[in-house]
Amino acid sequence: MEENLDLISNLPPEILRYIISFIPLKEAVRSSTLSTTWRQVLAPIPVTLEAEIKGLAIHEARKEVSEVLGRFLSSYSCPERWKLSLGVNQYKKDCLIREDDELVVLATKGVEKELHLSLFEQSHKGNDKPFHLELQPKSSPNNLQNHPTQSASFSSLRTLHLRSVNNQVTNLVSDLFAGCHLLESLKLEKCVGLQELDVEMSSLRSLEVMDCPGILSITVSAPKLKSFWYRGILPAMQLKSAFDLVEANLDLEGGIGLNEFDCEEVLCLLASLKEVQILTISGWLLEWMCTAGVIFGRLEFQFNKLVELCWLSSSMDRSKRDSLACFLNICPSLEKLFVKMNRTLSSITCQFFHHYWHEPHLWMDYEMVKSNTSQLKHLKMFSLAGFLGDEDEVLLMELLLSKAVVLESMTIT
């Protein structure tokens, strides 16, 4: 019997790099797990800058880092990774470095003008200090004249993924972002200490903010934004001029954290999302709003374009079921409804609110709930994941069967 020969792995490295240039960057990075040969194809190239920037003033050091990354982005012919070792982990008044620490930046680029920056520090002292991150492209004619290659490299970038940004490198990240005039997709992930995020960009179409545990506020001004994904605790969020927004994901699995629940702020947020076609939302948020006195049917806006709704929770009970039914009253065009219950998530207990008017159905019996729920004239598909057979789950199914007059499929898992 002939042995199966791995002919591809025996090809020269430059041919292997050419091959992976045809697949998405995420899959190209995964290919490094196939064998030692493939691991070497995208092995990070070490670049040490500490000797060059040691002792320089802050603006000179940031300029040095920008130039190195500019050279890294000068070509997108194939995926590539650089491992930058920098003495830039702490900003002081006149010096950028601290002798006993080192910042490592793993930079990965893809052929679709994509850049991923992951930051790691040898010392984690002080990395959780709160900071404000402002991301806004800035025109810089002098910079274009003095460093045309570097400026062109950043200005052509389309996708940027930032991971583990902390208070030590806030100004450096803002400097890098200032040259990204054509950026379309931005993702921030696991930024410990990030409290305030301001993003202003006319070209941005997709924004993701994931797992930043201390965040208090997010302000976004991006008139071309089509997709907004958020996962974490509930901060104060403002989406300005997001008239083209198609998809919004509000996975608020962390509850409110140490923040205060402001019902008016949440209503303003939902009003800014009223034109979306696809919405994911945490069930506890609707429950809290109803308990606080919100009557969805009396609001000045509806989700008239919403065709797909995904409701997330750790479990189903009467108030969650009824608040969902109430919210469906302002989704007249809904075609697909997904109810997903993840039993591993922590239950978020509803606060006690002082108020004088309530969503009436929360204090009615089930028959009154049914009679006050609007007909779902366009709902064709319903999916319930995490079903345990609880009474409130069964009653929700019964409610939908009675209201969804054109329902074609119901999936229970």
Side-chain angles (χ1 to χ4, degrees):
M1 181 179 293
E2 295 184 3
E3 295 183 0
N4 293 325
L5 298 178
D6 185 359
L7 299 178
I8 295 181
S9 295
N10 292 327
L11 294 173
E14 57 270 19
I15 301 299
L16 295 178
R17 281 192 289 269
Y18 179 74
I19 291 174
I20 64 174
S21 69
F22 289 95
I23 62 177
L25 179 60
K26 186 175 182 180
E27 301 302 323
V29 173
R30 285 180 177 176
S31 69
S32 62
T33 63
L34 296 176
S35 67
T36 303
T37 301
W38 283 98
R39 190 178 304 116
Q40 293 173 349
V41 172
L42 276 181
I45 300 174
V47 179
T48 302
L49 297 182
E50 184 173 1
E52 298 178 29
I53 65 175
K54 184 176 180 179
L56 295 180
I58 291 176
H59 67 278
E60 291 295 333
R62 298 207 303 257
K63 176 181 174 183
E64 183 80 13
V65 176
S66 298
E67 289 178 351
V68 170
L69 288 175
R71 292 196 296 270
F72 177 62
L73 297 176
S74 61
S75 171
Y76 295 95
S77 58
C78 65
E80 190 175 2
R81 307 177 89 183
W82 282 13
K83 183 179 179 181
L84 283 67
S85 298
L86 316 167
V88 296
N89 69 312
Q90 181 167 343
Y91 285 99
K92 298 182 179 180
K93 290 183 179 180
D94 57 355
C95 184
L96 191 62
I97 68 173
R98 191 170 61 194
E99 295 289 342
D100 57 346
D101 286 330
E102 182 181 56
L103 171 68
V104 175
V105 179
L106 181 60
T108 306
K109 69 176 179 180
V111 296
E112 298 295 332
K113 299 181 178 179
E114 183 176 356
L115 174 63
H116 291 231
L117 293 178
S118 297
L119 292 85
F120 308 92
E121 290 196 36
Q122 302 288 12
S123 171
H124 297 281
K125 296 178 181 179
N127 291 357
D128 58 349
K129 291 182 180 179
F131 66 96
H132 173 201
L133 185 59
E134 182 177 351
L135 301 177
Q136 179 181 1
K138 300 175 182 178
S139 58
S140 179
N142 292 332
N143 192 51
L144 287 172
Q145 293 176 2
N146 298 331
H147 305 280
T149 303
Q150 173 193 341
S151 301
S153 300
F154 284 105
S155 64
S156 64
L157 197 64
R158 294 295 190 273
T159 299
L160 178 61
H161 182 176
L162 300 172
R163 182 184 176 94
S164 301
V165 174
N166 57 50
N167 66 297
Q168 311 286 12
V169 293
T170 304
N171 293 334
L172 174 61
V173 170
S174 295
D175 285 353
L176 297 177
F177 192 86
C180 301
H181 298 281
L182 300 178
L183 194 69
E184 297 179 353
S185 178
L186 172 65
K187 181 176 181 178
L188 289 96
E189 182 180 11
K190 298 184 182 301
C191 298
V192 177
L194 177 61
Q195 286 193 346
E196 299 178 38
L197 174 65
D198 291 325
V199 179
E200 183 175 351
M201 171 161 272
S202 60
S203 61
L204 195 65
R205 297 177 180 272
S206 174
L207 174 63
E208 294 184 47
V209 182
M210 314 292 277
D211 304 324
C212 300
I215 197 159
L216 299 177
S217 69
I218 299 175
T219 303
V220 181
S221 179
K224 294 183 180 179
L225 192 68
K226 292 187 177 296
S227 176
F228 174 70
W229 282 58
Y230 176 81
R231 184 176 68 208
I233 63 173
L234 174 66
M237 282 190 273
Q238 295 185 57
L239 301 181
K240 300 179 180 179
S241 305
F243 304 120
D244 292 335
L245 196 63
V246 174
E247 180 179 12
N249 186 309
L250 301 178
D251 184 355
L252 307 171
E253 61 181 28
I256 62 173
L258 299 178
N259 303 337
E260 293 185 4
F261 181 75
D262 190 323
C263 198
E264 293 297 327
E265 283 187 356
V266 176
L267 283 173
C268 290
L269 172 62
L270 291 183
S272 68
L273 303 177
K274 66 181 181 179
E275 301 296 327
V276 298
Q277 299 176 27
I278 302 173
L279 175 65
T280 296
I281 194 166
S282 290
W284 73 262
L285 185 64
L286 303 182
E287 178 190 11
W288 283 37
M289 294 179 72
C290 284
T291 306
V294 172
I295 301 178
F296 286 112
R298 297 182 185 176
L299 297 178
E300 297 180 353
F301 64 89
Q302 287 190 327
F303 288 83
N304 292 315
K305 296 181 180 179
L306 188 66
V307 294
E308 183 176 314
L309 173 65
C310 182
W311 181 93
L312 307 175
S313 185
S314 61
S315 62
M316 178 71 70
D317 56 30
R318 177 184 173 183
S319 59
K320 288 185 175 67
R321 177 201 71 203
D322 292 351
S323 58
L324 172 58
C326 176
F327 186 74
L328 292 177
N329 288 331
I330 58 172
C331 306
S333 303
L334 192 65
E335 297 179 5
K336 298 179 181 179
L337 174 61
F338 299 88
V339 172
K340 298 182 179 181
M341 289 175 287
N342 185 348
R343 308 291 176 174
T344 64
L345 296 178
S346 300
S347 178
I348 300 175
T349 305
C350 187
Q351 291 184 350
F352 176 79
F353 296 96
H354 297 277
H355 45 69
Y356 300 96
W357 51 286
H358 309 276
E359 179 63 68
H361 74 264
L362 291 176
W363 287 265
M364 299 177 185
D365 60 22
Y366 174 65
E367 293 303 322
M368 292 300 294
V369 172
K370 287 178 63 176
S371 65
N372 281 276
T373 302
S374 302
Q375 290 284 327
L376 302 171
K377 299 179 180 180
H378 302 279
L379 187 64
K380 298 178 181 179
M381 192 197 77
F382 170 62
S383 173
L384 192 156
F387 179 73
L388 292 180
D390 295 338
E391 179 183 6
D392 293 303
E393 298 171 351
V394 175
L395 290 178
L396 175 64
M397 294 166 54
E398 181 182 320
L399 173 67
L400 293 174
L401 285 172
S402 66
K403 298 296 180 178
V405 294
V406 295
L407 190 65
E408 297 176 356
S409 69
M410 177 178 286
T411 304
I412 310 298
T413 57

